[in-house]
């Protein structure tokens, strides 16, 4: 493995995606811990949020929603509101630019955003959602705990 090229651009994108998702979950946990009155309730709340995000990551559930006459754009919108799904789709897009792995859902994503637009969205959305949760958590904490 000598003289192997390192794809620094992809390395930077993947690190950016990981940092954005980590920031999002850190801030969601900050909001949950602000709302909870004990550590047990906070752990339970974090677990429920994680399960809900995993539930809407499931393509079978999204397929069932479409089968029950939910418009495909609405199902994709629900999926793109989930930071885990945004991360998953962006990491697939970096690996497979045509998103063959996702099937027909990829057409809606690529038509709406384009590849560069979606990568920018995937970097910004989890960080913005996390910052919103952190700000809300701070406001609630300041109002209830600080003099």
């Amino acid at each position: 493995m000598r003289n192997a090229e390192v794809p620094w651009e992809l390395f930077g994108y993947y690190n950016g995606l990981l940092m954005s998702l980590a920031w999002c979950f850190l801030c969601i946990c900050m909001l949950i811990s602000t709302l909870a009155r004990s550590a047990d309730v906070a752990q339970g709340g974090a677990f429920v949020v994680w399960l809900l995000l995993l539930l809407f990551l499931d393509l079978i559930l999204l397929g069932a929603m479409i089968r029950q006459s939910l418009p495909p754009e609405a199902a994709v919108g629900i999926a793109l509101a989930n930071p885990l799904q945004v991360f998953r789709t962006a990491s697939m897009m970096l690996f497979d630019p045509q998103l063959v792995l996702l099937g027909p859902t990829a057409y809606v994503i690529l038509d709406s955003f384009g590849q560069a637009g979606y990568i920018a969205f995937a970097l910004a959305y989890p960080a913005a959602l996390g910052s919103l949760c952190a700000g809300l958590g701070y406001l609630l904490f300041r109002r209830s705990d600080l003099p």
Side-chain angles (χ1 to χ4, degrees):
M1 288 301 293
R2 297 184 90 176
N3 299 326
E5 287 289 322
V6 177
W8 291 109
E9 187 175 351
L10 283 177
F11 181 76
Y13 281 139
Y14 279 117
N15 278 327
L17 288 171
L18 285 170
M19 286 187 287
S20 180
L21 191 65
W23 175 255
C24 181
F25 281 116
L26 176 71
C27 295
I28 289 172
C29 289
M30 179 184 165
L31 176 61
I32 290 170
S33 68
T34 301
L35 295 172
R37 297 291 175 215
S38 70
D40 294 335
V41 173
Q43 274 185 319
F47 185 66
V48 167
V49 168
W50 178 71
L51 282 177
L52 283 173
L53 290 175
L54 282 180
L55 175 71
F56 286 107
L57 182 70
D58 189 11
L59 293 177
I60 295 171
L61 173 69
L62 293 173
M65 290 188 320
I66 291 172
R67 190 166 187 207
Q68 296 298 324
S69 73
L70 183 72
E73 292 80 14
V76 170
I78 291 170
L80 291 181
N82 182 352
L84 277 176
Q85 181 68 25
V86 170
F87 172 81
R88 180 175 169 260
T89 307
S91 62
M92 283 184 190
M93 184 178 279
L94 290 174
F95 177 74
D96 176 25
Q98 279 71 40
L99 287 177
V100 175
L101 297 170
L102 283 181
T105 308
Y107 297 119
V108 176
I109 293 171
L110 289 175
D111 287 345
S112 300
F113 293 98
Q115 184 176 0
Y118 188 76
I119 296 298
F121 172 77
L123 288 169
Y125 172 69
L129 179 65
S131 297
L132 180 71
C133 288
L136 184 60
Y138 172 73
L139 289 174
L140 292 171
F141 179 75
R142 188 179 70 183
R143 189 176 332 146
S144 66
D145 201 42
L146 296 176

